[in-house]
Amino acid sequence: MNNSSAGPISHAQRIVGGTREIRALSDWLETPGEGMQIFAVSGIGGIGKTTLLTKLAAEARGASVRVLWVDGQLCLHTPRDVLAYLDMSLETEYGRVRRADETLLAHVIGELYRERTVIIMDNCESLARSESWLLAQLLPRLQDSACLLVMASRTGLPLHWYTDPMWSGRIQSFPLELFTREQIYEYLQDSGLPDRLQQDIAQRSEGHPLLLALTTDLMRRDGTDQMEKVVQLPRILSAELLREAADPYMYEALQLLSLVPAADQTMLNRLLKHPLQAAEYMALSSLSCVRMVPAGLALHQVVGRILRDDYKQRDPGEYNTMRWRALKLLIELYPTADRLRRMQFAAHALELYREQLPAAHQYVDFSGVHGQEQRQGFGPEDLPYLHRFLEVSLSRSDWQSELVKAGEHHRLLDEIAKWSPMSILVTRNTDGIPLGFSAGLWLHAETMPLLERYAPLYLEMLGKEAEELRTLSSESADTMCMLLAAVNVDQSFYRPEELGAELFQSWMIETTNGWRAIIATEDPQLHMLLPLSGFQPKPPQPSDRHQPGMVVWELDFRQASFDRWVERVILQSAPQQELAAELPPVPWDQVRSLLQHLYNDNLLRSLPIVAEAGMSGAGMRDLMQTILTAEPPPYPLTELEQHILRESYLRKNHRKSQLADAFHMSRTTFYRHTRQALEHLGHVLAGKLNGFTTKNN
């Protein structure tokens, strides 16, 4: 459901979903005489509770059933408020006027027995104030009435409602979830927006209905080039999501929960300025966007992303500081964590810091496929799908291991399914249907003959190590060789690169469990991507002269530690990270102004930031050119970001749309990278200007 609080329902806020709830309402309409029933609707802010209630109300009215809409924010403070609100609704909407000698309670109960009624009670977060009276006084008097009470709140009904002898069998629970990708496109189908922009919106909204509605409305109202305004949406959404976290300690704790995969009270208190007491920790656990997990409390994935975006916009200096502290804590805990938590740490690190990965390819944008899609092991029933994906991939000359013999790819897949099924990772949609896969071989004595048969050049690339692997038992295998990967390019809900990114992420996460991943390729894009993601080239073998562009890359977690991998790949340099976080960055819009006027000394000299630094226009130009051509780029600027800014502001040979195509990005993605590049350049510039000022003083 999209959230009707975003405004009147237009196309951009059309009602999608609700099939399960409408079916339950239809069942109730068709089976009178069962006594009062309760529907409990729950979900995080913006998930679409109010919109679902609107749809249920319309369905009930369409069936000629009386509907009373009650706002829990206004009526749940006292029992009299509840009765007065129902009395007012009965009078104003249906003309049922209470007699002067009749009490409120008698009038309301009499009316609800007189006619079949659906009572819709929205915003029930204040239920506790009148809950005991409802359970002990009002509802027992209505247990035999032909009423349906629909109660919507962020956290749902308390547990004791479900164990109450009178009501336990009369409650149906409807927790609302994020939109599936199919529902997102159903919502967008009549929007009039270009297909490419619909794909951008589908990926960016991550299935959150309110974010989807606001982004779509913005694009339809202000045009497809107004992506700059999209970055303001996290602030709007964070305000909506944090309405229930009124206390400052909860707000701070939620921000920090967005920076870790999960945290117990002790872990949170190591990061918080004001440690939580036990009662405060339990109150935090009761929020709709927080769930209890074995490691403590975890924040809803999309809520975490929204809160991080807002945090970064409001206070980038503090955000960077806390992000680094959170990561150092994960590094500290990693050695003693079990296998599952280690995978969670790695997944969270990739998600949390993916904006700092040198995104030379969209295969490192892990934002599109998440939660609802399933990353599962392989089953024999998957093979027809995987062969179909593989066939299309081969026909399009997409990447497959260049060392696999021509015409042998399908037979190799069958052999991997037989001998090494655990090395096949499958991404599925919400119905469990495969969307893509990657397949390799765990290298040991039983699988090396397969490598020799189907990819003999691999053995030459491995050199002497191949002989050692021929004698290794399957129980001792710790190296996985990636051979095949393909995604379903015939479906329209996901971009191929989104699914590719998910497969790459899954493979990276699996590797952090302490084994080695190897891949041989001559693809220039992979040559750029793999080393920036922590892979190292194996020393060339004499046979490599037959494969001049071929490199064997390896990511070896048998030797590398999690902290070194994070530092090398994501943080680049821990001391630089801390230094960058200490200085407030130059705002990104000021950085953009500097770059826009870089070749006009008069305009450049008139900018406040140049005047305050006591620099000439030529001096500032030289500084910016030095930063944008330095090798390697100064942290936190990445090579890709440096390249984007050089092409956009130093060379200026292409329009933005042409640059987006040149970088293999949509315009939306290109804008996001450009904005991020300006922010990172602001951090670098702050340090340089601080050094310049100190030197001249």
Side-chain angles (χ1 to χ4, degrees):
M1 289 339 97
N2 55 291
N3 194 314
S4 61
S5 65
I9 294 178
S10 62
H11 159 75
Q13 293 161 333
R14 59 182 299 176
I15 298 175
V16 171
T19 304
R20 173 189 58 172
E21 294 82 3
I22 293 297
R23 186 183 303 116
L25 176 62
S26 298
D27 291 342
W28 179 82
L29 292 170
E30 293 170 4
T31 54
E34 293 189 350
M36 188 174 195
Q37 303 293 310
I38 298 175
F39 287 0
V41 177
S42 60
I44 61 173
I47 200 70
K49 298 180 292 296
T50 301
T51 303
L52 172 61
L53 300 187
T54 301
K55 189 170 185 177
L56 293 175
E59 291 286 333
R61 290 190 181 105
S64 300
V65 172
R66 184 170 61 183
V67 175
L68 301 179
W69 188 287
V70 177
D71 188 343
Q73 285 182 318
L74 302 176
C75 81
L76 285 174
H77 299 286
T78 67
R80 179 172 179 80
D81 289 337
V82 177
L83 294 173
Y85 204 101
L86 290 170
D87 177 42
M88 179 185 67
S89 298
L90 286 165
E91 180 176 346
T92 57
E93 296 183 42
Y94 296 98
R96 303 301 299 174
V97 180
R98 178 169 60 96
R99 299 192 313 271
D101 61 345
E102 192 175 24
T103 66
L104 268 175
L105 181 60
H107 173 66
V108 168
I109 291 175
E111 282 296 326
L112 294 180
Y113 269 97
R114 192 183 69 83
E115 185 177 337
R116 208 166 190 210
T117 304
V118 174
I119 304 170
I120 292 182
M121 190 174 291
D122 197 7
N123 300 311
C124 292
E125 281 73 28
S126 301
L127 178 65
R129 298 179 181 180
S130 298
E131 181 183 32
S132 59
W133 173 80
L134 284 170
L135 285 172
Q137 299 295 325
L138 181 62
L139 296 185
R141 288 179 166 85
L142 295 171
Q143 62 176 315
D144 297 322
S145 67
C147 286
L148 173 64
L149 176 59
V150 184
M151 306 178 74
S153 64
R154 297 185 178 217
T155 55
L157 290 176
L159 179 62
H160 55 262
W161 283 65
Y162 295 92
T163 57
D164 186 287
M166 181 180 295
W167 301 107
S168 59
R170 302 184 183 214
I171 300 174
Q172 293 189 59
S173 180
F174 298 105
L176 301 188
E177 304 293 343
L178 299 175
F179 277 169
T180 64
R181 193 58 71 94
E182 292 86 346
Q183 289 173 319
I184 294 174
Y185 280 108
E186 179 186 348
Y187 181 94
L188 292 169
Q189 64 184 357
D190 298 323
S191 65
L193 295 172
D195 290 345
R196 188 169 181 178
L197 187 58
Q198 289 189 35
Q199 292 176 333
D200 288 339
I201 293 172
Q203 182 174 1
R204 183 171 180 81
S205 67
E206 300 185 66
H208 187 278
L210 181 55
L211 181 55
L212 173 63
L214 291 175
T215 305
T216 306
D217 273 352
L218 180 65
M219 293 297 95
R220 296 179 74 243
R221 183 176 65 249
D222 295 338
T224 59
D225 293 331
Q226 300 299 315
M227 287 307 296
E228 183 172 331
K229 295 182 180 179
V230 173
V231 301
Q232 301 302 321
L233 293 180
R235 188 162 301 173
I236 300 170
L237 290 165
S238 64
E240 168 68 23
L241 292 164
L242 293 172
R243 279 198 304 157
E244 59 184 305
D247 295 321
Y249 75 85
M250 279 197 180
Y251 184 85
E252 182 190 1
L254 283 176
Q255 285 189 145
L256 290 176
L257 272 180
S258 75
L259 299 175
V260 293
D264 57 20
Q265 186 177 348
T266 301
M267 184 174 174
L268 265 180
N269 285 344
R270 290 183 61 180
L271 297 171
L272 287 167
K273 296 175 184 175
H274 306 289
L276 296 177
Q277 301 301 315
E280 293 170 330
Y281 179 79
M282 292 308 298
L284 183 67
S285 71
S286 69
L287 300 183
S288 64
C289 55
V290 176
R291 70 184 190 278
M292 295 287 294
V293 297
L297 303 181
L299 196 58
H300 190 287
Q301 181 182 16
V302 173
V303 174
R305 202 266 295 170
I306 290 170
L307 293 185
R308 285 195 301 271
D309 285 351
D310 177 50
Y311 193 4
K312 182 167 57 177
Q313 287 180 35
R314 282 186 292 100
D315 194 341
E318 182 184 345
Y319 173 79
N320 285 335
T321 299
M322 296 311 299
R323 182 171 61 174
W324 172 228
R325 286 185 59 198
L327 188 62
K328 285 201 294 187
L329 185 55
L330 295 185
I331 289 171
E332 177 186 328
L333 297 174
Y334 188 87
T336 58
D338 59 28
R339 180 178 182 273
L340 178 59
R341 287 207 76 193
R342 287 186 175 191
M343 292 179 68
Q344 291 170 342
F345 285 2
H348 190 76
L350 287 172
E351 170 63 25
L352 187 57
Y353 296 92
R354 60 184 163 83
E355 71 269 15
Q356 291 183 229
L357 284 168
H361 197 284
Q362 287 181 319
Y363 281 170
V364 294
D365 184 353
F366 308 130
S367 61
V369 182
H370 56 85
Q372 295 181 77
E373 295 78 15
Q374 305 168 49
R375 303 162 191 166
Q376 294 181 350
F378 164 79
E381 68 279 2
D382 296 326
L383 265 180
Y385 293 97
L386 309 194
H387 278 295
R388 177 161 57 85
F389 302 162
L390 184 59
E391 183 63 35
V392 173
S393 177
L394 291 168
S395 69
R396 291 158 51 102
S397 299
D398 290 341
W399 177 86
Q400 301 297 329
S401 177
E402 293 93 336
L403 296 183
V404 176
K405 286 183 179 179
E408 295 287 350
H409 295 81
H410 289 284
R411 277 188 285 272
L412 173 58
L413 177 58
D414 287 333
E415 295 281 16
I416 292 174
K418 179 179 179 181
W419 295 101
S420 191
M422 294 298 291
S423 65
I424 302 178
L425 297 176
V426 181
T427 292
R428 308 171 187 275
N429 67 12
T430 51
D431 296 322
I433 304 300
L435 292 168
F437 78 98
S438 62
L441 282 173
W442 285 101
L443 298 182
H444 52 80
E446 295 176 5
T447 58
M448 288 298 285
L450 297 178
L451 200 62
E452 184 172 10
R453 176 180 174 184
Y454 292 102
L457 288 177
Y458 234 121
L459 300 179
E460 297 181 25
M461 302 287 287
L462 290 173
K464 293 182 179 180
E465 184 185 1
E467 296 306 315
E468 299 173 6
L469 291 169
R470 291 180 191 275
T471 62
L472 192 68
S473 67
S474 59
E475 294 80 9
S476 302
D478 57 12
T479 296
M480 208 262 270
C481 165
M482 181 59 65
L483 292 164
L484 304 170
V487 301
N488 183 3
V489 297
D490 295 326
Q491 51 76 40
S492 58
F493 296 123
Y494 304 86
R495 287 175 169 155
E497 54 268 25
E498 285 184 81
L499 299 174
E502 197 283 331
L503 290 171
F504 184 73
Q505 180 195 35
S506 297
W507 197 42
M508 293 277 286
I509 292 169
E510 288 285 340
T511 305
T512 63
N513 282 309
W515 50 275
R516 179 178 62 154
I518 61 174
I519 181 172
T521 181
E522 57 185 14
D523 186 328
Q525 290 193 65
L526 287 176
H527 285 333
M528 182 182 297
L529 169 65
L530 293 172
L532 297 174
S533 303
F535 284 78
Q536 301 291 316
K538 281 181 62 64
Q541 302 296 320
S543 60
D544 289 356
R545 64 181 181 273
H546 303 299
Q547 302 286 332
M550 189 71 64
V551 178
V552 177
W553 296 96
E554 64 178 4
L555 180 61
D556 193 348
F557 265 87
R558 302 172 307 177
Q559 309 297 329
S561 60
F562 179 72
D563 59 329
R564 292 301 301 161
W565 173 68
V566 169
E567 184 176 324
R568 182 175 69 241
V569 178
I570 299 173
L571 294 182
Q572 302 183 27
S573 170
Q576 287 180 327
Q577 164 74 13
E578 292 176 307
L579 176 62
E582 290 173 1
L583 295 170
V586 178
W588 72 272
D589 52 346
Q590 293 186 33
V591 176
R592 183 177 60 181
S593 294
L594 286 172
L595 291 169
Q596 288 172 335
H597 303 307
L598 203 57
Y599 297 105
N600 187 323
D601 281 358
N602 291 332
L603 280 174
L604 200 59
R605 190 169 54 249
S606 67
L607 295 176
I609 188 171
V610 180
E612 290 171 6
M615 299 181 71
S616 65
M620 177 59 75
R621 179 170 57 253
D622 289 344
L623 173 60
M624 296 293 272
Q625 289 175 332
T626 299
I627 294 172
L628 294 182
T629 56
E631 295 182 6
Y635 183 85
L637 200 63
T638 67
E639 291 183 11
L640 175 66
E641 292 165 353
Q642 190 187 49
H643 192 185
I644 287 174
L645 294 179
R646 277 202 309 269
E647 294 297 329
S648 300
Y649 296 103
L650 295 189
R651 294 173 183 160
K652 299 193 290 187
N653 293 326
H654 303 285
R655 298 191 304 272
K656 291 291 175 63
S657 58
Q658 294 173 319
L659 284 174
D661 292 338
F663 283 98
H664 307 290
M665 299 177 186
S666 67
R667 293 191 67 180
T668 305
T669 303
F670 181 76
Y671 171 80
R672 190 162 64 245
H673 278 290
T674 303
R675 167 67 181 267
Q676 181 177 285
L678 292 170
E679 291 175 349
H680 288 172
L681 179 54
H683 283 278
V684 177
L685 191 57
K688 299 291 185 182
L689 293 179
N690 181 68
F692 178 84
T693 304
T694 302
K695 179 179 178 181
N696 285 278
N697 287 339

